[in-house]
């Protein structure tokens, strides 16, 4: 297969033209053998005749053309001579030919992964040679994987570029410290030279490139490179931002550096930007769908994930993922920051964490240890059926692979799947669980797909695990048996023979890696990415997804432009909502505030409401306040036998969901606000049933904990709880999912108990009240959520503040506007949040208190409390809303003596004073 390239894609040409436009006015540099001033070495060197001011003017013009905010100055890196004893012990030749230490302009191009970034900078190199005669280029990469990817791209584009540029004389090669004749050729050649180097090949003082050698007649290879004044192409420069690496780049005496990445840390002098949203909407990359493989309804063992350890106030603290009991009664995964002696049972409200008291947090060792001797390292998880999750992920990925391959074969497309695993040992070890799970699932599933029936799992999978090398970029393998022939063949296939990997003749279709393939490597026909490891950096989701977003090719090397085919499935061990939210967060971290969507044009403005102090002195206000200000306390009588009888029928017929690993799928879209969001494609389906895998806990203890630690807290005797459990016919569900059974039982008990409290409650008026001094002189709120209280009949507005805040535009706003117009309303108050009535199910804050004329012609004024709702049918309200209203009826009508007329629920102001319920 020979990959084919389209030289006419507008977005790529725009990126090339933006960079070349920076050098407008630069005369063509003829090849000329020069002698360097410092060392007397001969070289044919690059030359840049434009001043920094001219470069800045060109930059600003280009930025204006590409819609980027113009820079006010040219970003020029000046790397000081290192005075530290680190990897670079002696850069004794760091000054450039102008005598300024390590000074060189940096230009950035930002292109989303999968849109041809490498192709663009290779075309840019060709253009700079053709237009300006620049001929010495070094492509600096952060890793072996990126290096091999760049070298492969140079190989597969060679015939394309030669035809496009009329067969220019150019050479490309990977720097090899054992072949220093390359360096001499690089310096003395009058043709276009492209050398690929890993940053580690020249970032240390002991690197061969920095040593004098007889192979170059006593010269240092670095001196020859310096004399040629190379132009640098920095691929993934976010990995070259350390002080040492900047100094190493400066030591090459570059003319300038062009920086290419989708995830810049510092986008110096940005000339072109293709955002993830642009690439997604324009169909330049595959669409993404997320298949979430998660545990559901399984809180039967304590869950813990150590996410981070950092120093705060000179002491280590740890951020944990835990399952916390919320006030609503739900159990939710929450991030929790802990320090020494913190008790997770107290912090989560769950007895399941009993004994998890923080004993040690090791910043250096990256672990946390608890008093029960449980120890957790960063990225580790307990309390999750990890192997079961792996099993479900692997099976789903294989099934999706088989299905897609069956659909795409007639299109000439070979499907690949990429697995990012949690630990290398889980694959390479003799009993590697991931390899075993894959082999078992493959053999079980292949029987349903004829083209796979005769395949063995070991024939269709390959793996690449690598470490960074300290020997000029030489390859190292991580394997239980060390470097082997199989390792070399896998490396060659995955990294160097991409065309073979894309062919139907090559059986390998499933690729396993840890992080070596996270950036710099991709393959256009990766259609599934299975993420089986915790995200370890702010950009890891983007980097992982980027391995498979490139548009696929068929068997003759042509790009496939078909939206029905071009879909990447990410099989993630997290909910698709979280995956997409974190993917969006990573993009915002990379782009910063300037790259995120602007505030909407109707952004909300603050407003200040001022108290009309004279209103508090009015007799009618004092009369109203003296009536409603009193606090009360309540007493309740519970009939335990009746409670049990009411709970059992509902508990017996309620389905208790089994703990399970489920799979659901969502499509990722780029919306018109330049953000990614997930649209569900299917409901969750059970992949693996987890019922009955856990020891039965103390159910009554769990239920007691839930009764007391959720909102509102309620207490029921242990005898009552035991009796409910003993008499329910749903006990089998408790054995399958104890926590879900307990949570369901407590919800039903609380509902029935609250209903009983409504009838059994009695309020008592206290010798305590809300003072009028609690009214603050100013309230800050949102301008678009207030109604001004305007003058009426020349006497000023009727609200005690000069404006009225509201929560609902459909209910409260019309109610306020009507009160402001009514002549029979003397004054009214939007009751502040501190004015509450206590109830057994939580505090209640009524909406309004008002003083109005009596429509019966009585001279006595009416003093009223009103609640505004969207309906007068209380059964249509949420159960707790209805109950709080019923409790408040007893508080205001009976205990405070306001009667039926005094407290009512209304939907609109026209129902005053006697309408409503």
């Amino acid at each position: 297969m020979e990959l084919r390239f389209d030289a006419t894609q507008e977005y790529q040409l725009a990126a090339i033209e933006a960079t070349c436009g920076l050098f407008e006015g630069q005369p063509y540099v003829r090849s000329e053998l020069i002698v360097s001033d410092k060392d007397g070495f001969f070289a044919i060197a690059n030359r840049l005749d434009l001043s920094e001011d001219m470069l800045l003017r060109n930059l600003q013009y280009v930025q204006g053309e590409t819609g980027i905010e113009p820079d006010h100055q040219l970003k020029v890196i000046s790397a000081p001579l290192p005075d530290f004893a680190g990897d670079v012990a002696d850069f004794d030749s760091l000054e450039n030919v102008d005598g300024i230490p390590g000074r060189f302009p940096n230009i950035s191009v930002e292109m989303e992964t999968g849109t041809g970034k490498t192709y663009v900078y290779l075309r840019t190199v060709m253009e700079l040679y053709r237009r300006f005669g620049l001929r010495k280029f070094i492509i600096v990469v952060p890793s072996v994987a990126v290096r091999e990817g760049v070298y492969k791209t140079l190989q597969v584009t060679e015939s394309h570029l030669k035809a496009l540029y009329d067969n220019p004389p150019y050479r490309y090669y990977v720097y090899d410290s054992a072949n220093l004749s390359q360096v001499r050729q690089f310096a003395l050649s009058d043709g276009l030279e492209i050398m690929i180097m890993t940053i580690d090949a020249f970032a240390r003082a002991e690197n061969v490139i920095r040593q004098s050698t007889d192979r170059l007649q006593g010269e240092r290879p670095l001196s020859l490179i310096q004399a040629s004044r190379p132009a640098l192409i920095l691929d993934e420069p976010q990995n070259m931002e350390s002080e040492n690496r900047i100094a190493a780049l400066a030591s090459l005496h570059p003319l300038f550096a062009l920086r290419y990445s989708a995830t810049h840390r510092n986008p110096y002098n940005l000339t072109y930007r293709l955002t993830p949203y642009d690439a997604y909407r324009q169909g330049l990359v595959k669409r993404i769908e997320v298949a979430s493989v998660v545990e559901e309804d399984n809180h039967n063992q304590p869950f813990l994930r150590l996410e981070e350890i950092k120093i705060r106030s000179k002491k280590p603290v740890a951020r944990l993922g835990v399952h916390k009991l919320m006030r609503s009664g739900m159990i939710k995964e929450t991030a929790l920051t802990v320090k020494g002696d913190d008790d997770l049972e107290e912090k989560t409200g769950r007895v399941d964490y009993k004994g998890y008291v923080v004993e040690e947090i090791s910043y250096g060792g990256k672990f946390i240890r608890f008093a029960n001797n449980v120890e957790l390292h960063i990225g580790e998880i307990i309390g999750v059926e990890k192997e079961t999750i792996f099993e479900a992920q692997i099976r789903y990925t294989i099934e999706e692979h088989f299905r897609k391959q069956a659909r795409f074969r007639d299109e000439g497309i070979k499907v690949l799947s990429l697995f990012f695993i949690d630990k290398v040992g889980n694959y390479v070890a003799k009993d590697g669980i991931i390899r075993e799970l894959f082999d078992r699932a493959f053999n079980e599933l292949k029987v349903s797909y004829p083209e796979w029936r005769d395949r063995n799992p070991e024939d269709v999978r390959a793996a690449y695990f690598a470490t960074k090398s300290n020997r000029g970029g030489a390859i190292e393998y991580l394997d239980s048996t060390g470097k082997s022939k199989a390792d070399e063949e896998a490396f060659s296939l995955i990294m160097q023979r991409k065309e073979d990997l894309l062919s139907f003749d090559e059986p390998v279709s499933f690729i396993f890696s840890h992080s070596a393939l996270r950036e710099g490597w991709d393959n256009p026909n990766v259609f599934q990415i299975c993420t089986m490891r915790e995200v370890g950096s702010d950009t890891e989701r983007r980097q992982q997804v980027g391995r498979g977003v490139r548009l696929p090719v068929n068997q003759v090397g042509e790009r496939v432009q078909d939206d029905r085919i071009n879909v990447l499935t990410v099989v993630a061990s997290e909910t698709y909502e979280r995956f997409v939210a974190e993917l969006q967060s990573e993009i915002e971290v990379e782009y910063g505030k300037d790259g995120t969507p602007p505030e909407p044009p109707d952004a909300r403005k603050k407003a200040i409401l001022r108290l009309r102090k004279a209103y508090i002195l009015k007799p009618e206000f004092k009369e109203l306040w003296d009536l409603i200000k009193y606090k009360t306390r309540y007493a309740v009588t519970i009939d335990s036998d009746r409670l049990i009888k009411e709970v059992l029928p509902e508990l017996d017929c309620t389905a208790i969901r089994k703990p399970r690993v489920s799979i659901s799928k969502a499509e990722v879209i780029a919306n018109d606000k330049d953000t990614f969001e997930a649209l569900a494609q299917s409901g969750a389906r059970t992949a693996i049933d987890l019922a009955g895998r856990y020891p039965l806990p103390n159910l009554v203890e769990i239920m007691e904990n839930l009764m007391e630690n959720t909102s509102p807290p309620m207490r029921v005797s242990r005898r009552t709880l035991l009796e409910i459990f003993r008499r329910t016919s749903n006990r089998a569900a408790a054995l399958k999912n104890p926590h879900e059974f307990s949570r369901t039982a407590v919800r039903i008990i609380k509902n029935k108990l609250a209903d009983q409290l409504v009838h059994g409650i009695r309020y008592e008026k206290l010798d305590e009240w809300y003072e009028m001094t609690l009214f603050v002189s100013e309230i800050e709120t949102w301008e678009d959520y207030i109604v001004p209280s305007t003058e009426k009949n020349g006497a000023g507005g009727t609200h005690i503040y000069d404006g009225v805040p509201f929560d609902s535009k459909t209910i409260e706003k019309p109610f306020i506007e009507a009160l402001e117009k009514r002549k029979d309303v003397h004054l009214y108050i939007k009751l502040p949040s501190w004015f509450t009535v206590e109830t057994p199910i939580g505090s209640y804050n009524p909406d309004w208190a008002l003083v109005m004329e009596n429509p019966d012609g009585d001279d006595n004024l009416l003093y009223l409390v009103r609640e505004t709702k969207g309906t007068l049918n209380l059964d249509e309200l949420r159960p707790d809303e209805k109950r709080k209203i019923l409790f408040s009826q007893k508080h205001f009508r009976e205990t405070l003596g306001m009667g039926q007329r005094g407290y009512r629920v209304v939907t609109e102001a026209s129902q005053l004073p006697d309408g409503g319920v």
Side-chain angles (χ1 to χ4, degrees):
M1 178 194 299
E2 181 178 345
L3 295 176
R4 300 183 183 183
F5 298 89
D6 182 357
T8 64
Q9 297 192 77
E10 291 185 6
Y11 74 95
Q12 294 180 340
L13 295 177
I16 296 165
E17 195 59 40
T19 304
C20 292
L22 293 172
F23 303 98
E24 190 67 33
Q26 165 71 20
Y28 188 88
V29 179
R30 303 292 175 183
S31 61
E32 181 182 354
L33 193 64
I34 64 168
V35 180
S36 68
D37 295 336
K38 185 174 180 64
D39 298 302
F41 295 132
F42 288 99
I44 293 176
N46 285 333
R47 190 180 78 242
L48 185 60
D49 298 323
L50 300 179
S51 67
E52 289 184 9
D53 286 342
M54 296 171 70
L55 282 172
L56 177 59
R57 285 197 295 271
N58 285 344
L59 172 67
Q60 291 171 336
Y61 176 80
V62 168
Q63 289 173 326
E65 290 291 302
T66 55
I68 294 170
E69 184 71 25
D71 288 322
H72 298 298
Q73 63 181 15
L74 188 70
K75 178 62 179 178
V76 179
I77 287 183
S78 296
L81 289 166
D83 57 359
F84 51 88
D87 288 339
V88 182
D90 178 24
F91 283 174
D92 57 358
S93 181
L94 194 57
E95 292 188 357
N96 69 13
V97 293
D98 298 317
I100 304 173
R103 186 176 174 82
F104 58 101
N106 277 249
I107 309 298
S108 299
V109 174
E110 192 166 271
M111 294 181 67
E112 180 61 359
T113 301
T115 58
K117 167 174 59 72
T118 307
Y119 175 83
V120 164
Y121 70 61
L122 294 181
R123 283 278 305 269
T124 302
V125 166
M126 293 293 175
E127 286 290 333
L128 293 175
Y129 174 66
R130 182 178 67 84
R131 298 185 193 188
F132 308 114
L134 299 177
R135 60 196 69 220
K136 304 299 173 68
F137 292 87
I138 298 178
I139 301 173
V140 184
V141 298
S143 67
V144 171
V146 182
R147 183 194 71 191
E148 293 300 320
V150 173
Y151 185 65
K152 185 62 183 178
T153 303
L154 277 161
Q155 288 178 314
V156 299
T157 58
E158 183 172 358
S159 60
H160 169 76
L161 293 176
K162 284 185 176 180
L164 194 61
Y165 288 94
D166 196 22
N167 199 27
Y170 79 94
R171 282 187 290 261
Y172 59 88
Y173 38 87
V174 173
Y175 166 74
D176 183 356
S177 59
N179 183 15
L180 295 181
S181 62
Q182 286 177 335
V183 179
R184 183 180 292 281
Q185 171 188 289
F186 182 85
L188 296 176
S189 169
D190 65 350
L192 175 57
E193 298 287 328
I194 303 172
M195 181 159 59
I196 313 165
M197 304 179 75
T198 62
I199 185 73
D200 289 331
F202 60 93
R204 301 173 64 89
E206 62 268 25
N207 288 131
V208 171
I209 200 171
R210 299 185 177 279
Q211 312 303 318
S212 298
T213 173
D214 292 340
R215 287 179 285 172
L216 295 177
Q217 292 76 49
E219 298 174 1
R220 297 186 314 159
L222 180 62
S223 298
L224 289 170
I225 290 175
Q226 291 170 340
S228 67
R229 298 305 310 281
L232 303 184
I233 306 291
L234 307 184
D235 195 325
E236 307 292 355
Q238 68 272 15
N239 297 303
M240 307 174 199
E241 297 283 2
S242 69
E243 185 179 38
N244 173 70
R245 292 190 166 193
I246 291 172
L249 294 170
S251 73
L252 299 177
H253 289 184
L255 201 64
F256 55 81
L258 304 179
R259 309 161 67 90
Y260 290 82
S261 179
T263 54
H264 284 287
R265 186 182 302 172
N266 295 303
Y268 307 122
N269 302 323
L270 189 64
T271 61
Y272 180 81
R273 167 175 281 170
L274 180 68
T275 71
Y277 315 111
D278 292 335
Y280 206 78
R281 279 194 291 260
Q282 295 174 32
L284 305 178
V285 293
K286 292 191 187 91
R287 291 184 294 111
I288 301 169
E289 62 181 16
V290 183
S292 300
V293 181
V294 295
E295 282 187 348
E296 287 195 297
D297 299 313
N298 185 26
H299 305 294
N300 297 294
Q301 51 185 338
F303 165 82
L304 271 177
R305 178 179 59 241
L306 179 56
E307 297 177 350
E308 181 184 24
I309 294 177
K310 57 185 177 181
I311 300 297
R312 181 182 294 173
S313 301
K314 299 183 179 180
K315 293 183 180 179
V317 295
R319 188 175 67 174
L320 298 169
V322 298
H323 284 168
K324 185 176 181 179
L325 178 63
M326 312 306 289
R327 300 294 288 173
S328 64
M330 299 294 290
I331 295 174
K332 182 179 178 182
E333 184 179 332
T334 307
L336 195 67
T337 299
V338 298
K339 59 185 184 304
D341 296 326
D342 278 351
D343 188 337
L344 296 192
E345 182 181 3
E346 294 178 4
K347 285 188 166 289
T348 62
R350 298 186 62 206
V351 295
D352 308 71
Y353 289 96
K354 189 178 185 67
Y356 282 90
V357 178
V358 178
E359 191 169 83
E360 180 182 358
I361 302 174
S362 174
Y363 179 77
K366 305 298 182 187
F367 68 84
I368 184 171
R369 184 167 57 247
F370 299 93
N372 57 5
N373 289 322
V374 172
E375 188 171 291
L376 211 59
H377 288 76
I378 289 180
E380 284 190 327
I381 304 176
I382 61 173
V384 172
E385 292 287 333
K386 195 171 183 179
E387 290 185 9
T388 307
I389 296 286
F390 285 174
E391 179 185 355
Q393 283 185 279
I394 290 170
R395 290 184 69 90
Y396 186 88
T397 303
I398 295 172
E399 282 187 293
E400 190 74 4
H401 186 112
F402 287 172
R403 287 192 292 263
K404 284 185 181 177
Q405 187 60 85
R407 294 201 307 268
F408 299 167
R409 175 167 283 279
D410 289 344
E411 305 288 338
I413 298 171
K414 179 184 174 182
V415 173
L416 300 176
S417 292
L418 174 62
F419 295 81
F420 284 111
I421 68 174
D422 65 329
K423 295 178 181 178
V424 176
N426 280 344
Y427 183 89
V428 302
K430 291 181 178 179
D431 58 349
I433 183 63
I434 288 176
R435 194 178 69 250
E436 288 184 354
L437 288 172
F438 176 87
D439 290 357
R440 183 192 314 151
F442 183 88
N443 285 329
E444 290 173 359
L445 295 169
K446 70 180 183 180
V447 296
S448 300
Y449 297 87
E451 69 174 297
W452 297 95
R453 286 176 188 163
D454 296 330
R455 298 284 191 183
N456 294 317
E458 56 269 21
D459 297 329
V460 300
R461 55 173 166 78
Y464 171 53
F465 309 108
T467 60
K468 292 180 180 178
S469 169
N470 294 325
R471 295 183 288 108
I475 302 163
E476 295 179 5
Y477 297 91
L478 294 175
D479 196 294
S480 57
T481 59
K483 186 176 176 180
S484 68
K485 184 176 180 180
D487 296 325
E488 293 178 348
E489 289 177 353
F491 175 84
S492 174
L493 178 64
I494 295 168
M495 304 301 296
Q496 298 172 333
R497 296 189 289 116
K498 284 188 178 180
E499 303 97 320
D500 293 344
L501 192 57
L502 293 169
S503 170
F504 285 135
D505 294 332
E506 171 55 58
V508 170
S509 302
F510 300 89
I511 302 167
F512 290 80
S513 187
H514 179 259
S515 57
L517 301 182
R518 195 181 62 198
E519 62 184 10
W521 179 93
D522 62 26
N523 191 294
N525 286 20
V526 169
F527 282 90
Q528 287 75 234
I529 294 179
C530 182
T531 62
M532 306 170 71
R533 58 190 299 265
E534 284 297 305
V535 174
S537 74
D538 289 338
T539 60
E540 187 157 332
R541 281 179 185 81
R542 283 190 74 194
Q543 292 290 1
Q544 288 180 344
V545 169
R547 301 319 102 214
V549 294
R550 192 178 298 277
L551 296 182
V553 298
N554 57 26
Q555 292 300 292
V556 295
E558 294 174 333
R559 295 285 173 194
V560 176
Q561 304 283 345
D562 188 335
D563 288 343
R564 296 170 302 173
I565 291 174
N566 297 341
V567 179
L568 171 68
T569 303
V570 180
V571 185
S573 56
E574 58 186 334
T575 65
Y576 59 76
E577 293 95 342
R578 180 184 174 190
F579 181 92
V580 175
E582 292 298 325
L583 179 65
Q584 176 65 28
S585 176
E586 290 176 9
I587 292 171
E588 292 182 4
V589 166
E590 291 300 322
Y591 277 68
K593 289 185 178 179
D594 293 337
T596 55
E599 289 293 320
D602 59 343
R604 296 167 72 182
K605 297 179 181 178
K606 295 288 184 68
I608 301 295
L609 304 180
R610 292 175 175 82
L611 179 66
R612 291 163 166 162
K613 295 182 180 179
Y615 279 45
I616 296 180
L617 302 177
K618 287 187 175 184
E620 55 261 52
F621 179 80
K622 295 180 70 175
E623 188 75 24
L624 171 67
W625 198 251
D626 284 343
L627 184 61
I628 68 173
K629 69 181 181 180
Y630 287 97
K631 298 181 181 180
T632 57
R633 66 184 175 196
Y634 60 82
V636 294
T637 303
I638 302 299
D639 184 336
S640 297
D641 291 337
R642 177 183 161 198
L643 177 66
I644 294 170
K645 290 177 181 178
E646 290 177 344
V647 165
L648 285 173
E650 187 170 339
L651 180 59
D652 289 346
C653 67
T654 298
I656 308 297
R657 293 171 297 185
K658 297 178 181 179
R660 62 204 178 278
V661 173
S662 68
I663 299 175
S664 57
K665 185 183 284 188
E667 178 185 4
V668 180
I669 66 165
N671 60 31
D672 57 5
K673 296 180 180 179
D674 269 4
T675 56
F676 284 125
E677 61 178 301
L679 298 180
Q681 290 180 309
S682 65
R685 68 174 178 85
T686 299
I688 299 175
D689 190 338
L690 301 176
R693 297 194 179 201
Y694 315 101
L696 185 64
N698 188 322
L699 282 169
V700 173
E701 188 175 297
I702 293 175
M703 285 192 280
E704 283 181 320
N705 181 258
L706 287 169
M707 293 291 292
E708 294 181 12
N709 287 286
T710 55
S711 181
M714 293 184 180
R715 290 176 176 82
V716 174
S717 71
R718 176 171 282 235
R719 185 195 69 81
T720 299
L721 295 176
L722 279 169
E723 189 64 16
I724 289 172
F725 179 66
R726 185 183 69 81
R727 291 168 58 180
T728 181
S729 62
N730 213 354
R731 284 196 303 274
L735 303 178
K736 294 177 180 178
N737 197 344
H739 265 277
E740 182 67 10
F741 173 86
S742 301
R743 193 173 68 84
T744 301
V746 166
R747 175 180 57 79
I748 297 170
I749 292 169
K750 283 194 169 188
N751 283 337
K752 300 302 181 184
L753 186 58
D755 288 339
Q756 196 176 124
L757 292 176
V758 168
H759 303 288
I761 195 169
R762 295 290 179 270
Y763 277 98
E764 177 187 353
K765 186 176 176 181
L766 299 176
D767 194 21
E768 299 176 19
W769 57 82
Y770 291 108
E771 298 284 356
M772 287 190 291
T773 55
L774 291 172
F775 284 98
V776 295
S777 59
E778 292 183 348
I779 298 174
E780 184 179 68
T781 185
W782 301 109
E783 189 176 87
D784 52 350
Y785 273 81
I786 61 170
V787 174
S789 184
T790 56
E791 289 194 7
K792 183 168 57 179
N793 300 327
T798 49
H799 192 261
I800 68 168
Y801 285 88
D802 59 9
V804 192
F806 61 86
D807 299 319
S808 167
K809 290 186 176 181
T810 58
I811 300 173
E812 289 191 346
K813 185 180 180 182
F815 184 79
I816 298 167
E817 291 171 337
L819 292 184
E820 285 291 317
K821 295 175 182 176
R822 287 183 60 157
K823 294 180 180 180
D824 59 345
V825 175
H826 285 219
L827 62 85
Y828 67 101
I829 316 166
K830 168 72 170 171
L831 288 167
S833 59
W834 46 260
F835 187 91
T836 60
V837 177
E838 297 306 312
T839 80
I841 58 172
S843 298
Y844 163 68
N845 172 221
D847 286 334
W848 313 96
L850 59 151
V851 181
M852 66 181 297
E853 297 172 3
N854 193 329
D856 298 334
D858 193 331
D859 290 337
N860 293 323
L861 297 175
L862 299 179
Y863 302 92
L864 311 174
V865 175
R866 289 295 182 263
E867 180 73 21
T868 45
K869 294 294 182 185
T871 178
L872 296 180
N873 183 352
L874 298 187
D875 290 334
E876 293 179 2
L877 301 176
R878 294 194 306 271
D880 279 358
E881 278 187 294
K882 173 186 175 181
R883 291 173 187 133
K884 286 181 178 181
I885 288 171
L886 296 176
F887 288 134
S888 296
Q889 286 177 350
K890 295 196 175 186
H891 168 86
F892 287 110
R893 292 177 179 178
E894 298 176 10
T895 309
L896 299 189
M898 296 181 70
Q900 294 282 335
R901 194 180 222 181
Y903 175 82
R904 285 182 177 273
V905 176
V906 296
T907 59
E908 55 188 34
S910 63
Q911 294 165 352
L912 294 173
D914 294 321
V917 294

